[in-house]
Amino acid sequence: MRVLGIDPGLTRCGVGVVEGVPGRPCKLVAYYVVYTEPDEDIALRLRHLDESLAKLVAEHQPESVAVERVFSQHNVRTVMGTAQASAVAILAGARARLPVETYTPSEVKAAITGSGTAGKAQVTSMVTRLLGLDKPPRPADAADALALAICHIWRGGTRARIAAAALAAARRTGARR
């Protein structure tokens, strides 16, 4: 399965593409950071992010998209920008008719490091190790996007298979009645 992971941000949006299957090591395909200028008009920044993500989805042809779920922070202005970038990221997957799954930061940290309270350095270190990279992906936004993609392969892929199996079983049971 090929997954495009997105760590949404308005100034820096991390994007990582990973291939793999649950229970097996994953393989790095590519990673990027989409930048926008903080002093630019918000509409132009969101359009740039939208166009960039659409190009990356078209280029890499993922089977699904994993986006970090926005959580409340103390800085409302930061949360608003992140939420807007998150909506654009979710829309990029939906527009391509791809399944989109969101994960909280603690879900991703737990999947990658074994601890939902791991720091950025721990996540980056584990992503580097899990993907067999010679050096850590930089900036941290790229490492976070790769962690999201790995998390989705390991957790979301399994979730999707279980849901599909349950649906198939329900259809069989309903067909017998």
Side-chain angles (χ1 to χ4, degrees):
M1 167 175 19
R2 181 175 281 202
V3 176
L4 188 125
I6 302 173
D7 179 33
L10 196 49
T11 301
R12 289 181 323 274
C13 181
V15 181
V17 186
V18 174
E19 287 183 347
V21 294
R24 295 279 179 103
C26 294
K27 178 184 161 209
L28 171 70
V29 175
Y31 64 87
Y32 311 86
V33 176
V34 178
Y35 295 93
T36 68
E37 293 298 325
D39 58 344
E40 244 184 5
D41 180 69
I42 186 71
L44 297 176
R45 295 175 78 188
L46 292 171
R47 185 180 74 193
H48 173 70
L49 182 57
D50 181 48
E51 291 169 351
S52 298
L53 293 176
K55 285 178 188 173
L56 292 171
V57 167
E59 177 183 344
H60 291 289
Q61 297 292 305
E63 294 167 62
S64 59
V65 175
V67 179
E68 185 173 275
R69 189 175 305 152
V70 178
F71 65 101
S72 178
Q73 295 174 334
H74 299 297
N75 187 340
V76 174
R77 188 170 175 208
T78 301
V79 171
M80 289 302 293
T82 303
Q84 291 165 329
S86 179
V88 170
I90 292 167
L91 184 58
R95 214 182 257 140
R97 307 250 188 268
L98 296 171
V100 177
E101 189 77 39
T102 61
Y103 296 92
T104 65
S106 58
E107 282 179 296
V108 175
K109 291 173 185 180
I112 300 303
T113 70
S115 170
T117 60
K120 281 197 172 285
Q122 287 176 285
V123 172
T124 299
S125 176
M126 283 305 296
V127 164
T128 304
R129 184 179 307 159
L130 291 169
L131 295 176
L133 305 177
D134 294 333
K135 59 184 181 174
R138 297 280 184 230
D141 308 275
D144 290 348
L146 292 168
L148 277 151
I150 295 167
C151 174
H152 182 67
I153 288 168
W154 288 354
R155 292 195 172 176
T158 303
R159 273 191 218 157
R161 285 191 176 97
I162 291 170
L167 181 60
R171 286 183 179 155
R172 283 192 305 272
T173 303
R176 291 184 196 152
R177 289 183 183 177

